[in-house]
Amino acid sequence: MSQAASSVIGPIKITLNTEYRTSNPVIGDIATTIKLDKSEIRATGARTFTGLLQSIPSVSFEGGQGNLRALRLRGNEASHTLLLLDGHKVTITGSQPNLDVIPLDQIERIEISKGPFSSLYGPGAIGGVIHVFTDKDINSITSSKIDVSSGSKGTIKVNLNTYFILPYSYFDFAATDFHTDGIDALGNGDLDPIDRTTYGLNLGGQITENTSISVNLLDTKAIIQYDDPYGSPVLPDNNLKQMNLGITHNYPKRSKVSFDIMNQDIQRRTAKYELNTITVINEIDLDNSKLSLGLSNSVDKDLNNLSTPSVAKKIKHTDLFGQWQGLVADNEISVGARLIDHDKFNSHITYNLNWAKDLTLTTRVNASFGSATNLPDHYKNNANIVAGKTSLNPERSKNIELGFTNNFKWGDAGIKLYKSRVADAFKWQSGSPAYYINDGTVNIQGAELSIGTELFGWELDSSIDFNKAIAASTDLQKGRRPNRSISLNLNKSSGKWKRNINWTAHSWVWDKDNHSNGKNGGYGLLNLSTSYDFTENLSAYLNRNNVLDKNYEMAKGYDTLGKTTTLGLTYNF
């Protein structure tokens, strides 16, 4: 059985596991989760968080330079992906998570868990969860690091990180400045530059023998130029400010209580929102099992319309949730449920049931069944209120998944089969004014195959994904969802050198749900990266993305970056 979490002794913060929302699960991973640490993120050669997401296999990323980005998991809508920052939801703006506000260089690790997770994290997690953990460098000694890089399209990045550790406390500070000139995505002579400055602060310590406290701050300000197809000026501001205060107390009788307060201010273009959450979780360690019980209160404010009586100013809900995980006769089981009491949509329940078993030392099987929900956000609520359409219902889904993995002498292989049904799916209804309707059902099914082995001294990881997302009302494949995706990743370390080769390919897609705008062609991208350690403290890296300079579109009419090169230096002191 694999242990899914890591911990260290003393005042240092224990690693949080996304799948179980606990610090030390008693069972192994069951959900399909992609995990990348800082070194693996660098090996992708990505320059931004959205660039990183594009390089990850088995996810569907859309939106070229100058266009809003979106990420789809397993054929679901972009709004069905819940974006978490240090355990907390990033407010939905413009009907989807704002991926542009996340600073790549201050990510400690990222976990992408597929499947319904509403029972753990609340509404929105129909397709899955993207969980971003910011720098805390929890296992290091007192040290500092500076990273400087320059590359194609006028890209310059400077990142400074300093970490202090004392016997009963820690302090981590990071600052990043990023600029790129961008490209002329629409061919109209207008470049799409990005300027982003980010500061992050993490500190914590032991108050008493059993009580610890942590404070996390992240402040990112970005000017991102978007192309505007409608002829009206689009303001470029993309800002995020988040503060977390956490207190954890360990009781002698195998119990731990965590109390967390979060305040988040977010802005995209002119839209400003404020999200406040209070969460209390009690973890109880039992024999071969763990029980988690929690209470959370969330208030999401639309700061643009506080003085406008005709639109919704707040979205509020209070949730009770719980999860039991444990071993029963060598079966690994987790069961969870959440009661959501919403101020506009009454109360409803989501749930999940997961099972896994090691049939032999090399063979593991798993199965899961769960439900999830997605509530209308400020954008949809306000559009329907203005149009006088107030009958919009939440989206609801049910999902089933079966998995099989096996370790061979030559490596490992696995397959995951999944099927989901999304009822009351949201659909944009054109009109004057426009609004949203519930457009029936979307049926999704797919398979994910993975193989890992060693080939001529290289570590090889590969995956092939198949997906169909069909709208029941039209019997048409949903737009911008490839039926097939392939990824090959090769890593090799020899002496002071590290090398990475990555190739991803996606089949063609329909550009719109109704197929009225034609197809976007399939494409394959080859990315290369290498690094060299001059000394223990000084290293250089070179990344070449889209080496073959492939011309492709993820959204009709928007060109993408083409071939790029980045050269950088990292110095630890």
Side-chain angles (χ1 to χ4, degrees), residues 206-235:
Q206 210 74 14
I207 301 175
T208 68
E209 182 181 355
N210 295 313
T211 305
S212 62
I213 186 172
S214 64
V215 177
N216 305 320
L217 303 171
L218 182 70
D219 188 357
T220 179
K221 292 182 172 59
I223 298 176
I224 302 174
Q225 297 289 344
Y226 294 106
D227 287 306
D228 178 23
Y230 303 107
S232 58
V234 176
L235 299 180

Side-chain angles (χ1 to χ4, degrees), residues 11-13 134-136 138 162-164 168-174 200-206 212-217 243-247:
I12 308 305
K13 189 170 183 178
T134 58
D135 271 328
K136 295 176 183 65
I138 58 176
T162 185
Y163 182 79
F164 296 94
Y168 297 100
S169 61
Y170 65 91
F171 172 90
D172 178 77
F173 175 77
L201 175 66
N202 299 285
L203 56 92
Q206 210 74 14
S212 62
I213 186 172
S214 64
V215 177
N216 305 320
L217 303 171
M243 182 185 74
N244 295 58
L245 171 64
I247 300 175

